[in-house]
Amino acid sequence: MSNVVVIGTGYVGLTTGACLAHLGHHVTCADIDSTKISRLSEGRIPIVESGLENLVREGLRTGRLHFVVNASQALLRSDFTFLCLPTPERHDGSADLSYLQTALETVRDDLRFESIVINKSTVPVGTVRFVERVLARPDVGVVSNPEFLREGSAVHDFLHPDRVVIGAVDQAVATRVASLYSTLTTRVITTDPESAELIKYASNAFLATKLSFVNQIAALAEAVSANVDDVIAGMGSDKRIGESFLRPGPGWGGSCFPKDTKSLISIGSTSGIDMSLIRSVVEANEERLEQVVDRIEHLSGSSLKGKKICLWGLTFKANTDDLRESPALKIATKLISRGAQLSAYDPTVHDTLSSFPLMFIFGSPLDAAEGASCVVVLTEWDEFKWIDPVLVAARVDSRTVLDARGILNRSEWQDNGFTVSGIVC
Ligand code: NAD
């Protein structure tokens, strides 16, 4: 078993560290956020992620998992150093590598002789070479090992991956990295660094394409009186297509797809390739958000001015507390700009959000629905499926629901006098 340091203890880094400790490695997780580190050292995790807290506690109990602000000591004996750092979008759509650069400058002198740096952040093609240049440590191997976990099932995805991708110049270095995952039953795909880096972007852009596609088909199905669920079942049972990522929704978001699609467009532009398909996918998603807001306005009776709209769900998807680039929040911004008053409920959001001081957060979906002209389901949390429409009917001003996730039992709500709508162009 190996000694591992993980730099950056967010969704990816914490999952990586806790799972590698679970697999038997000795792991030190480092982060510049000292509050986060002291909470983690007590076994308290700062994010909602199924099974992760148990793994963190297991790692602390067995002594295989440690949390530090300064990783210097751990780096001196570390075989592998993972980079799990933010790569946010810059103004021009390209990925900002400054977090990576700062972290590399901090660790480079402490890296053990002939150890390996493994990048898990999602980065532009050519970043392995960038890392090599910043490190200026010819004895240290640098590898791309993109992460494909989904928030909400991160632990499961890490321990049961569809594949592990390792991009390395040196095959011997790739083999050493593969040994970290040797107890997992999965396919290891070894490539050059550039291909590994592109695999990640291509995968996310393809998934975003599927979502934009199904959202347009859903709008069309509604417009031509076709049943979108039947259309998807009919399409998805074709093995070449598959059913996953064919669920219509209010638009895609989250911490990855928006920035990764833009970064891919930017990589194309600097490489002389017009990524016109991906640009259309991004544009279709922007239109989708607008369609949701138009539909809410239509359902509320021509104008949103002064209307109370209740939002059920704020996170970008269910089973996570991640609000980054959430379609629900983009829709909230547009509703406010059209004069709506917002109330909201989300199982992971308990306080007013600083960027939405006038959106009132309630502790239950029923309280949020009080006096609403329209209730909008924006995140597919299971608990919304079981809400009794009779109880909602007693609280709302108008029995109008926009189910942007298609999770409610439509006939049950209609039987209780609700107008239940999906989204149409
Ligand atoms: P995150 O924002 O949750 O976590 C990043 C962490 O890095 C934070 O805790 C931050 O404090 C820490 N950090 C910043 N600078 C540091 C430094 N110099 N030294 C130590 N720690 C530092 O980010 P994330 O969601 O875990 O994503 C990390 C990378 O992985 C991104 O490139 C992202 O695109 C990619 N990725 C994310 C997901 C996902 O679902 N979140 C999935 C696959 C890949």
Side-chain angles (χ1 to χ4, degrees):
M1 290 298 165
S2 303
N3 287 326
V4 175
V5 168
V6 178
I7 309 287
T9 311
Y11 287 86
V12 170
L14 185 56
T15 305
T16 300
C19 288
L20 287 175
H22 176 69
L23 295 177
H25 301 291
H26 291 274
V27 183
T28 301
C29 289
D31 204 287
I32 46 171
D33 183 339
S34 55
T35 312
K36 190 185 268 191
I37 289 299
S38 55
R39 283 174 61 113
L40 284 166
S41 303
E42 293 164 4
R44 293 185 293 146
I45 70 165
I47 54 173
V48 172
E49 197 53 68
S50 176
L52 189 53
E53 192 154 277
N54 284 345
L55 283 196
V56 167
R57 290 188 174 173
E58 175 194 275
L60 292 170
R61 204 172 48 248
T62 57
R64 288 201 297 266
L65 186 60
H66 298 274
F67 294 97
V68 296
V69 175
N70 183 337
S72 298
Q73 287 304 312
L75 286 166
L76 295 174
R77 56 176 191 280
S78 174
D79 306 300
F80 301 97
T81 301
F82 279 90
L83 306 175
C84 302
L85 295 152
T87 47
E89 181 186 329
R90 283 198 297 223
H91 287 306
D92 62 358
S94 63
D96 177 358
L97 296 183
S98 62
Y99 291 90
L100 223 60
Q101 171 143 8
T102 305
L104 288 167
E105 286 166 356
T106 309
V107 303
R108 67 181 160 202
D109 294 335
D110 294 325
L111 291 171
R112 208 186 95 183
F113 183 67
E114 290 187 345
S115 62
I116 298 177
V117 169
I118 305 173
N119 179 48
K120 262 200 183 298
S121 299
T122 304
V123 290
V125 177
T127 300
V128 160
R129 314 291 175 175
F130 164 83
V131 173
E132 285 170 348
R133 276 198 305 280
V134 178
L135 286 179
R137 284 279 306 264
D139 62 302
V140 170
V142 181
V143 163
S144 165
N145 174 213
E147 182 50 58
F148 301 96
L149 62 77
R150 296 162 299 174
E151 287 178 20
S153 55
V155 169
H156 176 272
D157 293 349
F158 191 96
L159 296 174
H160 306 275
D162 291 338
R163 76 301 207 187
V164 168
V165 173
I166 300 170
V169 177
D170 183 339
Q171 183 57 45
V173 170
T175 304
R176 278 173 66 194
V177 175
S179 72
L180 276 172
Y181 300 102
S182 60
T183 49
L184 302 181
T185 314
T186 190
R187 180 177 176 205
V188 176
I189 300 173
T190 309
T191 71
D192 55 82
E194 290 74 16
S195 305
E197 288 162 343
L198 189 54
I199 285 169
K200 174 62 188 176
Y201 276 126
S203 302
N204 274 2
F206 186 74
L207 293 172
T209 303
K210 270 187 117 175
L211 291 175
S212 280
F213 178 87
V214 78
N215 281 341
Q216 268 191 2
I217 293 296
L220 181 62
E222 219 175 311
V224 300
S225 303
N227 181 319
V228 69
D229 293 331
D230 292 344
V231 173
I232 291 168
M235 272 178 70
S237 41
D238 184 328
K239 288 194 187 64
R240 294 169 302 174
I241 299 172
E243 278 192 6
S244 72
F245 272 71
L246 280 186
R247 253 200 103 72
W252 42 265
S255 67
C256 293
F257 287 4
K259 76 174 175 62
D260 292 351
T261 44
K262 301 227 187 71
S263 181
L264 188 59
I265 293 166
S266 163
I267 295 167
S269 143
T270 51
S271 314
I273 303 294
D274 180 9
M275 303 299 286
S276 55
L277 177 63
I278 309 305
R279 272 195 285 107
S280 304
V281 165
V282 172
E283 278 163 27
N285 197 50
E286 293 301 323
E287 283 161 22
R288 182 69 169 174
L289 297 170
E290 209 61 44
Q291 285 162 9
V292 177
V293 178
D294 288 346
R295 174 44 72 99
I296 297 168
E297 188 163 58
H298 174 76
L299 289 169
S300 311
S302 68
S303 168
L304 279 165
K305 279 222 159 36
K307 295 276 168 52
K308 185 174 171 194
I309 307 297
C310 164
L311 308 182
W312 281 353
L314 295 174
T315 53
F316 85 97
K317 66 173 182 173
N319 306 318
T320 178
D321 57 346
D322 200 343
L323 293 165
R324 292 178 286 183
E325 296 288 318
S326 171
L329 295 185
K330 291 186 177 173
I331 288 164
T333 302
K334 289 175 189 289
L335 289 170
I336 289 168
S337 74
R338 294 194 196 183
Q341 294 174 358
L342 300 185
S343 59
Y345 167 78
D346 185 287
T348 68
V349 179
H350 307 295
D351 300 312
T352 305
L353 301 172
S354 55
S355 42
F356 291 88
L358 295 179
M359 179 166 70
F360 294 98
I361 305 292
F362 288 85
S364 87
L366 287 178
D367 287 346
E370 186 78 44
S373 304
C374 182
V375 173
V376 188
V377 180
L378 288 174
T379 310
E380 72 283 24
W381 287 102
D382 266 350
E383 68 173 270
F384 299 147
K385 295 179 193 166
W386 322 124
I387 293 174
D388 185 347
V390 175
L391 300 178
V392 183
R395 308 290 287 269
V396 291
D397 191 44
S398 165
R399 295 184 190 189
T400 307
V401 173
L402 172 60
D403 181 10
R405 294 285 185 171
I407 58 169
L408 300 183
N409 180 336
R410 201 177 260 241
S411 54
E412 190 191 356
W413 284 76
Q414 284 167 338
D415 290 348
N416 283 285
F418 280 86
T419 302
V420 184
S421 175
I423 308 156
V424 74
C425 282

